[in-house]
Amino acid sequence: MRLFVNVDHVATIREARKTVEPNPLEAALLAEKAGADGITVHLREDRRHIQDEDAQKIRRGISTPMNLEMAAVEEMVCIALEIKPFQISLVPENRQEVTTEGGLDVIGHKERLIAIRDRLKPAGILFSLFVDPDRLQIDAAREIGADSIEINTGLYSERQAPDALKAELEKIRVAAGHAAQRGLRVFAGHGLTRKNVGSISAIDAIEELNIGHHIVSRAVMVGMLQAVEEMRLAIRPITK
């Protein structure tokens, strides 16, 4: 199970004062030192946290793969072609949202997504889509030639009642297995914490997790090295 650490919210703290610290690149390097397998950054259209310069510096400065999350818009495609990250992950964006609220509607935007794929893949950039645990959306992702999907674990992370939590986990398990059978690489993320990640990491078809907010929140208290190390320890198979 690979862990990609999202350093967006290091930049969120910095942007609260519009100053130079904390530095997202420094956080990314510490995450790597603690064993992160890659670094994720989300360059949003409204630039609420990660800035263009951050993305450039992180791409040049880290030694692990960089996953660039972005909206399916022309501006971001051009930036991705300039930066050339290891992978881009297309996510939906709403300017009024606090954080990403759901997966992409792949079915409703096939032509646009295919056009973006055709520009990025010749540049050697892997093409991933952030989707809800929905078989029809996963089938559409396969049809348009995505290399991978990232299953949205947001609803799972919000569930409190045991039955609702179990039902959402089962949806993710079934979706992940379906995607793997269709030849897609399967990742997962959104809202994952040390307390809830174990059940997700126990799903055989999922090979990579993207986790940011919880790690950065914990890092404020104990430092980035310990926060990443704690998450790595939490990502382990549990008794099924």
Side-chain angles (χ1 to χ4, degrees), residues 56-68:
Q56 291 276 9
K57 287 182 176 179
I58 291 170
R59 171 65 178 86
R60 294 194 302 265
I62 62 176
S63 56
T64 56
M66 175 178 165
N67 173 42
L68 178 63

Side-chain angles (χ1 to χ4, degrees), residues 1-51:
M1 180 69 67
R2 296 185 301 276
L3 171 64
F4 273 52
V5 174
N6 187 317
V7 296
D8 290 353
H9 295 301
V10 175
T12 299
I13 298 172
R14 180 195 63 198
E15 293 302 305
R17 290 287 296 271
K18 300 294 182 182
T19 182
V20 297
E21 61 180 5
N23 184 343
L25 173 57
E26 183 178 356
L29 294 174
L30 287 170
E32 286 185 323
K33 185 176 180 180
D37 300 290
I39 301 299
T40 294
V41 297
H42 184 175
L43 183 63
R44 295 185 67 108
E45 291 183 87
D46 62 11
R47 306 305 198 271
R48 67 177 62 171
H49 38 58
I50 292 293
Q51 306 298 306

Side-chain angles (χ1 to χ4, degrees), residues 108-119:
H109 297 91
K110 281 186 179 180
E111 291 186 7
R112 178 195 292 184
L113 297 175
I114 289 171
I116 294 174
R117 177 207 67 191
D118 288 346
R119 294 173 64 186

